[in-house]
CSV table of all heavy atoms in Angstrom, one decimal:
chain,number,residue,atom,x,y,z
A,1,ASP,N,19.8,22.3,-37.1
A,1,ASP,CA,19.9,23.2,-38.3
A,1,ASP,C,20.8,22.5,-39.3
A,1,ASP,O,20.9,21.3,-39.4
A,1,ASP,CB,20.3,24.6,-37.8
A,1,ASP,CG,21.7,24.6,-37.3
A,1,ASP,OD1,22.4,23.4,-37.2
A,1,ASP,OD2,22.3,25.5,-36.9
A,2,VAL,N,21.5,23.4,-40.1
A,2,VAL,CA,22.1,22.8,-41.2
A,2,VAL,C,23.3,21.9,-40.8
A,2,VAL,O,23.8,21.1,-41.6
A,2,VAL,CB,22.6,24.0,-42.3
A,2,VAL,CG1,21.5,24.6,-42.9
A,2,VAL,CG2,23.4,25.0,-41.4
A,3,ASN,N,23.8,22.2,-39.7
A,3,ASN,CA,24.9,21.4,-39.2
A,3,ASN,C,24.3,20.2,-38.3
A,3,ASN,O,24.5,20.2,-37.1
A,3,ASN,CB,25.8,22.2,-38.2
A,3,ASN,CG,26.4,23.3,-39.0
A,3,ASN,OD1,27.2,23.2,-40.1
A,3,ASN,ND2,26.3,24.6,-38.5
A,4,PHE,N,23.6,19.3,-39.0
A,4,PHE,CA,22.8,18.3,-38.3
A,4,PHE,C,23.6,16.9,-38.1
A,4,PHE,O,22.9,16.1,-37.4
A,4,PHE,CB,21.6,18.0,-39.2
A,4,PHE,CG,21.7,17.6,-40.6
A,4,PHE,CD1,22.2,16.3,-40.9
A,4,PHE,CD2,21.6,18.6,-41.6
A,4,PHE,CE1,22.4,16.1,-42.2
A,4,PHE,CE2,21.8,18.2,-42.9
A,4,PHE,CZ,22.1,16.9,-43.2
A,5,GLU,N,24.7,16.7,-38.7
A,5,GLU,CA,25.3,15.4,-38.7
A,5,GLU,C,25.6,14.8,-37.3
A,5,GLU,O,25.2,13.8,-37.0
A,5,GLU,CB,26.6,15.4,-39.5
A,5,GLU,CG,26.4,15.4,-41.1
A,5,GLU,CD,25.8,14.0,-41.5
A,5,GLU,OE1,25.8,12.9,-40.8
A,5,GLU,OE2,25.2,13.9,-42.7
A,6,SER,N,26.2,15.7,-36.5
A,6,SER,CA,26.6,15.1,-35.2
A,6,SER,C,25.3,15.0,-34.3
A,6,SER,O,25.3,14.0,-33.6
A,6,SER,CB,27.5,16.2,-34.4
A,6,SER,OG,26.9,17.5,-34.2
A,7,PHE,N,24.4,15.8,-34.5
A,7,PHE,CA,23.0,15.6,-33.9
A,7,PHE,C,22.4,14.3,-34.2
A,7,PHE,O,21.9,13.5,-33.5
A,7,PHE,CB,22.1,16.8,-34.2
A,7,PHE,CG,22.3,18.0,-33.2
A,7,PHE,CD1,23.4,18.2,-32.6
A,7,PHE,CD2,21.1,18.8,-33.1
A,7,PHE,CE1,23.6,19.4,-31.9
A,7,PHE,CE2,21.3,19.9,-32.4
A,7,PHE,CZ,22.5,20.2,-31.8
A,8,PHE,N,22.5,14.0,-35.6
A,8,PHE,CA,21.8,12.8,-36.0
A,8,PHE,C,22.5,11.4,-35.5
A,8,PHE,O,21.9,10.5,-35.1
A,8,PHE,CB,21.8,12.7,-37.5
A,8,PHE,CG,21.2,11.5,-38.2
A,8,PHE,CD1,19.8,11.4,-38.1
A,8,PHE,CD2,21.8,10.5,-38.7
A,8,PHE,CE1,19.1,10.3,-38.6
A,8,PHE,CE2,21.2,9.5,-39.2
A,8,PHE,CZ,19.8,9.3,-39.1
A,9,THR,N,23.8,11.6,-35.4
A,9,THR,CA,24.6,10.5,-34.9
A,9,THR,C,24.4,10.2,-33.5
A,9,THR,O,24.0,9.1,-33.1
A,9,THR,CB,26.1,10.7,-35.1
A,9,THR,OG1,26.4,10.9,-36.6
A,9,THR,CG2,26.9,9.5,-34.5
A,10,THR,N,24.1,11.3,-32.7
A,10,THR,CA,23.9,11.1,-31.3
A,10,THR,C,22.5,10.6,-31.1
A,10,THR,O,22.2,9.7,-30.3
A,10,THR,CB,24.1,12.5,-30.5
A,10,THR,OG1,25.4,12.9,-30.7
A,10,THR,CG2,23.8,12.4,-29.1
A,11,TRP,N,21.6,11.3,-31.8
A,11,TRP,CA,20.1,10.9,-31.6
A,11,TRP,C,19.9,9.4,-32.0
A,11,TRP,O,19.2,8.7,-31.2
A,11,TRP,CB,19.3,11.8,-32.6
A,11,TRP,CG,17.8,11.5,-32.5
A,11,TRP,CD1,16.9,11.7,-31.5
A,11,TRP,CD2,17.1,10.8,-33.6
A,11,TRP,NE1,15.7,11.4,-31.9
A,11,TRP,CE2,15.7,10.8,-33.2
A,11,TRP,CE3,17.5,10.4,-34.8
A,11,TRP,CZ2,14.8,10.2,-33.9
A,11,TRP,CZ3,16.5,9.7,-35.7
A,11,TRP,CH2,15.1,9.7,-35.2
A,12,SER,N,20.4,9.0,-33.1
A,12,SER,CA,20.2,7.6,-33.6
A,12,SER,C,20.8,6.6,-32.6
A,12,SER,O,20.2,5.6,-32.3
A,12,SER,CB,20.7,7.3,-34.9
A,12,SER,OG,22.1,7.7,-35.0
A,13,ALA,N,21.9,7.0,-31.9
A,13,ALA,CA,22.6,6.2,-30.9
A,13,ALA,C,21.7,6.0,-29.7
A,13,ALA,O,21.5,4.9,-29.1
A,13,ALA,CB,24.0,6.6,-30.6
A,14,VAL,N,21.0,7.1,-29.3
A,14,VAL,CA,20.1,7.1,-28.1
A,14,VAL,C,18.9,6.3,-28.4
A,14,VAL,O,18.4,5.6,-27.6
A,14,VAL,CB,19.8,8.5,-27.7
A,14,VAL,CG1,18.8,8.6,-26.6
A,14,VAL,CG2,21.1,9.2,-27.1
A,15,VAL,N,18.4,6.5,-29.7
A,15,VAL,CA,17.2,5.7,-30.0
A,15,VAL,C,17.6,4.2,-29.8
A,15,VAL,O,16.7,3.4,-29.3
A,15,VAL,CB,16.8,5.9,-31.4
A,15,VAL,CG1,15.8,4.9,-31.9
A,15,VAL,CG2,16.3,7.3,-31.6
A,16,GLU,N,18.8,3.8,-30.2
A,16,GLU,CA,19.2,2.4,-30.0
A,16,GLU,C,19.3,2.1,-28.5
A,16,GLU,O,18.8,0.9,-28.2
A,16,GLU,CB,20.6,2.2,-30.7
A,16,GLU,CG,21.1,0.8,-30.5
A,16,GLU,CD,22.4,0.6,-31.2
A,16,GLU,OE1,23.1,1.6,-31.6
A,16,GLU,OE2,22.9,-0.6,-31.3
A,17,GLN,N,19.7,2.9,-27.7
A,17,GLN,CA,19.7,2.6,-26.3
A,17,GLN,C,18.4,2.4,-25.7
A,17,GLN,O,18.2,1.5,-24.9
A,17,GLN,CB,20.5,3.7,-25.6
A,17,GLN,CG,22.0,3.8,-25.8
A,17,GLN,CD,22.5,5.0,-25.1
A,17,GLN,OE1,22.8,6.2,-25.7
A,17,GLN,NE2,22.8,4.9,-23.8
A,18,VAL,N,17.5,3.3,-26.1
A,18,VAL,CA,16.1,3.2,-25.5
A,18,VAL,C,15.5,1.9,-26.1
A,18,VAL,O,14.8,1.2,-25.2
A,18,VAL,CB,15.3,4.4,-26.0
A,18,VAL,CG1,13.8,4.2,-25.5
A,18,VAL,CG2,15.8,5.8,-25.4
A,19,ILE,N,15.6,1.6,-27.2
A,19,ILE,CA,15.0,0.3,-27.8
A,19,ILE,C,15.6,-0.8,-27.0
A,19,ILE,O,15.0,-1.9,-26.7
A,19,ILE,CB,15.3,0.2,-29.2
A,19,ILE,CG1,14.3,1.2,-30.0
A,19,ILE,CG2,14.9,-1.2,-29.8
A,19,ILE,CD1,14.6,1.3,-31.6
A,20,ALA,N,16.9,-0.8,-26.6
A,20,ALA,CA,17.5,-1.9,-25.9
A,20,ALA,C,17.1,-1.9,-24.5
A,20,ALA,O,17.5,-2.9,-23.7
A,20,ALA,CB,19.0,-1.7,-26.0
A,21,GLY,N,16.4,-0.9,-24.0
A,21,GLY,CA,15.8,-1.0,-22.7
A,21,GLY,C,16.2,0.2,-21.8
A,21,GLY,O,15.9,0.3,-20.6
A,22,ASP,N,17.2,1.0,-22.2
A,22,ASP,CA,17.6,2.2,-21.4
A,22,ASP,C,16.7,3.4,-21.6
A,22,ASP,O,16.9,4.3,-22.3
A,22,ASP,CB,19.0,2.6,-21.8
A,22,ASP,CG,19.6,3.7,-20.9
A,22,ASP,OD1,18.8,4.1,-20.0
A,22,ASP,OD2,20.8,4.1,-21.1
A,23,TRP,N,15.5,3.4,-20.9
A,23,TRP,CA,14.5,4.4,-21.1
A,23,TRP,C,15.0,5.7,-20.7
A,23,TRP,O,14.7,6.8,-21.3
A,23,TRP,CB,13.3,4.0,-20.3
A,23,TRP,CG,12.2,4.8,-20.5
A,23,TRP,CD1,11.7,5.8,-19.5
A,23,TRP,CD2,11.2,4.9,-21.4
A,23,TRP,NE1,10.6,6.5,-19.9
A,23,TRP,CE2,10.3,5.9,-21.1
A,23,TRP,CE3,11.1,4.3,-22.7
A,23,TRP,CZ2,9.2,6.3,-21.9
A,23,TRP,CZ3,10.0,4.6,-23.5
A,23,TRP,CH2,9.1,5.5,-23.1
A,24,GLN,N,15.9,5.8,-19.7
A,24,GLN,CA,16.4,7.1,-19.1
A,24,GLN,C,17.3,7.8,-20.2
A,24,GLN,O,17.2,9.0,-20.2
A,24,GLN,CB,17.3,6.8,-17.9
A,24,GLN,CG,17.6,8.2,-17.1
A,24,GLN,CD,16.4,9.0,-16.6
A,24,GLN,OE1,15.4,8.3,-16.3
A,24,GLN,NE2,16.4,10.2,-16.8
A,25,ALA,N,17.9,7.1,-21.2
A,25,ALA,CA,18.7,7.8,-22.1
A,25,ALA,C,18.0,8.8,-22.9
A,25,ALA,O,18.5,9.8,-23.3
A,25,ALA,CB,19.4,6.7,-23.0
A,26,GLY,N,16.7,8.4,-23.2
A,26,GLY,CA,15.9,9.3,-24.1
A,26,GLY,C,15.5,10.5,-23.3
A,26,GLY,O,15.4,11.7,-24.0
A,27,ARG,N,15.3,10.4,-22.0
A,27,ARG,CA,14.9,11.5,-21.3
A,27,ARG,C,16.1,12.5,-21.0
A,27,ARG,O,15.9,13.7,-20.9
A,27,ARG,CB,14.4,11.1,-19.9
A,27,ARG,CG,13.1,10.4,-19.9
A,27,ARG,CD,12.7,9.8,-18.6
A,27,ARG,NE,11.4,9.1,-18.7
A,27,ARG,CZ,10.9,8.4,-17.6
A,27,ARG,NH1,11.7,8.3,-16.5
A,27,ARG,NH2,9.8,7.7,-17.7
A,28,ASP,N,17.3,12.0,-21.1
A,28,ASP,CA,18.5,12.7,-20.7
A,28,ASP,C,19.0,13.4,-22.0
A,28,ASP,O,19.9,14.4,-21.8
A,28,ASP,CB,19.6,11.8,-20.2
A,28,ASP,CG,19.3,11.3,-18.8
A,28,ASP,OD1,18.4,11.9,-18.1
A,28,ASP,OD2,19.9,10.3,-18.4
A,29,LEU,N,18.6,13.1,-23.1
A,29,LEU,CA,19.1,13.7,-24.4
A,29,LEU,C,18.4,15.0,-24.6
A,29,LEU,O,17.2,15.2,-24.6
A,29,LEU,CB,18.9,12.8,-25.6
A,29,LEU,CG,19.4,13.3,-26.8
A,29,LEU,CD1,21.0,13.3,-26.9
A,29,LEU,CD2,19.0,12.6,-28.1
A,30,HIS,N,19.3,16.1,-24.7
A,30,HIS,CA,18.8,17.5,-25.0
A,30,HIS,C,19.5,18.0,-26.2
A,30,HIS,O,20.7,18.5,-26.0
A,30,HIS,CB,18.8,18.3,-23.8
A,30,HIS,CG,18.0,17.8,-22.7
A,30,HIS,ND1,16.7,17.9,-22.6
A,30,HIS,CD2,18.4,17.2,-21.5
A,30,HIS,CE1,16.1,17.4,-21.4
A,30,HIS,NE2,17.2,16.9,-20.8
A,31,LEU,N,19.0,17.9,-27.4
A,31,LEU,CA,19.7,18.5,-28.6
A,31,LEU,C,18.7,19.4,-29.3
A,31,LEU,O,17.9,19.0,-30.1
A,31,LEU,CB,20.1,17.3,-29.5
A,31,LEU,CG,21.2,16.4,-29.1
A,31,LEU,CD1,21.4,15.3,-30.1
A,31,LEU,CD2,22.5,17.1,-28.9
A,32,ARG,N,18.8,20.7,-29.0
A,32,ARG,CA,18.1,21.7,-29.6
A,32,ARG,C,18.8,22.9,-29.9
A,32,ARG,O,19.3,23.5,-29.0
A,32,ARG,CB,16.8,22.0,-28.8
A,32,ARG,CG,15.8,20.8,-28.8
A,32,ARG,CD,14.6,21.1,-27.8
A,32,ARG,NE,13.8,19.9,-27.8
A,32,ARG,CZ,12.7,19.8,-26.9
A,32,ARG,NH1,12.3,20.9,-26.3
A,32,ARG,NH2,12.0,18.6,-27.0
A,33,VAL,N,18.9,23.2,-31.2
A,33,VAL,CA,19.7,24.4,-31.6
A,33,VAL,C,18.8,25.6,-31.1
A,33,VAL,O,17.6,25.7,-31.3
A,33,VAL,CB,19.8,24.5,-33.1
A,33,VAL,CG1,20.4,25.8,-33.6
A,33,VAL,CG2,20.9,23.4,-33.5
A,34,THR,N,19.4,26.7,-30.5
A,34,THR,CA,18.7,27.8,-30.1
A,34,THR,C,18.6,28.8,-31.3
A,34,THR,O,19.7,29.1,-31.9
A,34,THR,CB,19.4,28.4,-28.9
A,34,THR,OG1,19.4,27.6,-27.8
A,34,THR,CG2,18.7,29.8,-28.5
A,35,ALA,N,17.5,29.2,-31.7
A,35,ALA,CA,17.3,30.1,-32.8
A,35,ALA,C,17.4,31.6,-32.2
A,35,ALA,O,16.4,32.1,-31.7
A,35,ALA,CB,16.0,29.9,-33.5
A,36,TYR,N,18.4,32.2,-32.2
A,36,TYR,CA,18.5,33.5,-31.7
A,36,TYR,C,17.9,34.5,-32.7
A,36,TYR,O,17.9,34.3,-33.9
A,36,TYR,CB,20.1,34.0,-31.5
A,36,TYR,CG,20.6,33.1,-30.5
A,36,TYR,CD1,21.7,32.3,-30.8
A,36,TYR,CD2,20.3,33.3,-29.1
A,36,TYR,CE1,22.3,31.4,-29.8
A,36,TYR,CE2,21.0,32.5,-28.1
A,36,TYR,CZ,22.0,31.6,-28.5
A,36,TYR,OH,22.6,30.8,-27.5
A,37,GLY,N,17.3,35.6,-32.1
A,37,GLY,CA,16.7,36.6,-33.0
A,37,GLY,C,16.5,37.8,-32.2
A,37,GLY,O,17.0,38.0,-31.1
A,38,GLU,N,15.7,38.8,-32.8
A,38,GLU,CA,15.5,40.1,-32.2
A,38,GLU,C,14.9,39.9,-30.7
A,38,GLU,O,15.1,40.8,-29.9
A,38,GLU,CB,14.7,40.9,-33.0
A,38,GLU,CG,15.4,41.4,-34.3
A,38,GLU,CD,14.6,42.2,-35.2
A,38,GLU,OE1,14.0,43.3,-34.7
A,38,GLU,OE2,14.5,42.0,-36.4
């Protein structure tokens, strides 16, 4: 959501890990803001 900076930093670092060969890092990342509602 609007507070995306920390998510982007973490995501791009994991993309780097996966490209370098750590396939599991991409599977282990879970960054999803929960949209609460009625």
